[in-house]
Amino acid sequence: MTPASPLAADLHLCTLRGATLAEVDAAAALQHRTDRKYLISLDRARLLVDRLADSHHVLDLVGRRTTSYLSTYFDTERLGAWRAHVQGRRRRWKVRTRLYAEDGLCRVEVKTKDGRGATVKHALTAPAHAYGRLDARAAEFIDDVLRRADIPVTTAALSPAAEIRYVRAALADLEHGTRVTLDGSLTCHHGDRTAALDPGYVLVETKGGSSPAPADRLLLRMGARPVSLSKYIVGRSLLTPGLPDNDVRRLARTHFTAEAHSAPLLERTPAA
């Protein structure tokens, strides 16, 4: 049995029924979806998990119920993706490479918005050593997705803009095809600066159709309200001097701390 991570222990994930990745993907892959995000205390997150136990399974990877994520986001020199989000433009986009650290798996992902405002995610599997960079195969994939979404940006204009690290637990309602993720130990890194989410809080995301899922209704009854909070947008808003102030930054300042490092950050732990 894999030892429980601190997040798994804090959320009492051992009390939930487990589901394999194949089962979760079959029921709730949701590449085309509506996301709702909530920033809630660890105590409320624990209560949420307890109340979802009858209807949701937790993703169980051979006894491991959380996964460490590393995501490098790419943007233009003038932060076109960041500005499109902050300014609420209809054609928003994000490009990132994502590493599932314990599993040594990497994906290149492009997220866009459709005409109804729903998130559409496109993904390309890549070798673990490709994390943090965009090779020719990734560039061809990204350029094709952005072109079809009518976004006038190419990979040639992109460079690494921030790295986001966190630990995630994923819950799925296998019957209704919706998911809930809970992210803890969230940090954002850019240059010699780091921003970190208050360890007493968890970022919850519900992923489903256009109508609120049972988890959304439960969160509302618990007093939580959806927030517009992108990990990448928060990171750049807090860590980049001179960016215009915005609602995202004002929200983030309530729950995040930022600091500069006199020495470079330690190298991340290689994937197993």
Side-chain angles (χ1 to χ4, degrees):
M1 177 69 69
T2 303
S5 70
L7 182 65
D10 286 340
L11 297 179
H12 300 169
L13 297 182
C14 63
T15 63
L16 271 68
R17 296 165 294 170
T20 67
L21 181 59
E23 289 173 323
V24 172
D25 281 348
L30 295 174
Q31 298 301 92
H32 189 288
R33 69 201 189 195
T34 298
D35 298 345
R36 297 176 179 87
K37 300 181 182 181
Y38 306 82
L39 198 55
I40 64 176
S41 68
L42 188 57
D43 288 341
R44 280 190 177 181
R46 190 181 300 114
L47 180 60
L48 172 67
V49 170
D50 179 66
R51 292 183 176 178
L52 292 176
D54 289 340
S55 58
H56 287 64
H57 291 67
V58 61
L59 175 62
D60 188 300
L61 300 166
V62 195
R64 194 185 77 242
R65 296 194 161 190
T66 59
T67 297
S68 300
Y69 282 58
L70 293 85
S71 298
T72 293
Y73 286 79
F74 296 81
D75 210 337
T76 64
E77 183 178 3
R78 294 183 56 81
L79 300 181
W82 183 91
R83 295 180 188 280
H85 185 102
V86 169
Q87 294 169 5
R89 297 178 193 169
R90 185 170 62 90
R91 299 195 183 282
R92 284 178 263 172
W93 56 277
K94 290 188 185 119
V95 172
R96 68 189 179 204
T97 59
R98 168 167 285 178
L99 182 68
Y100 302 82
E102 292 90 348
D103 305 302
L105 300 177
C106 181
R107 301 206 312 177
V108 179
E109 297 181 345
V110 183
K111 296 172 73 172
T112 60
K113 293 282 187 181
D114 68 8
R116 296 169 297 173
T119 300
V120 184
K121 184 167 72 173
H122 309 263
L124 174 71
T125 301
H129 63 75
Y131 171 72
R133 60 186 181 86
L134 302 176
D135 59 17
R137 179 168 170 263
E140 182 180 4
F141 166 75
I142 293 165
D143 289 346
D144 179 63
V145 172
L146 294 179
R147 181 174 60 252
R148 287 189 282 111
D150 292 327
I151 294 170
V153 176
T154 65
T155 309
L158 303 179
S159 59
E163 183 179 65
I164 312 298
R165 309 176 192 177
Y166 55 96
V167 177
R168 167 168 288 182
L171 280 54
D173 182 336
L174 302 184
E175 181 178 351
H176 296 97
T178 58
R179 283 195 294 141
V180 180
T181 60
L182 301 100
D183 298 338
S185 302
L186 172 60
T187 58
C188 313
H189 309 271
H190 175 62
D192 65 347
R193 294 180 61 81
T194 294
L197 176 64
D198 183 326
Y201 279 79
V202 174
L203 179 62
V204 176
E205 298 183 43
T206 63
K207 307 165 191 291
S210 56
S211 300
D216 292 291
R217 294 191 288 272
L218 178 55
L219 283 159
L220 290 173
R221 289 198 298 271
M222 293 169 59
R225 293 294 180 267
V227 295
S228 177
L229 198 158
S230 157
K231 299 179 185 72
Y232 167 58
I233 303 306
V234 165
R236 288 302 305 229
S237 295
L238 291 176
L239 300 180
T240 306
L243 284 180
D245 206 359
N246 54 77
D247 291 340
V248 172
R249 184 184 296 189
R250 286 188 285 273
L251 172 65
R253 281 175 177 161
T254 306
H255 299 293
F256 284 76
T257 57
E259 62 180 3
H261 299 271
S262 58
L265 291 171
L266 295 176
E267 291 296 320
R268 55 181 174 267
T269 303

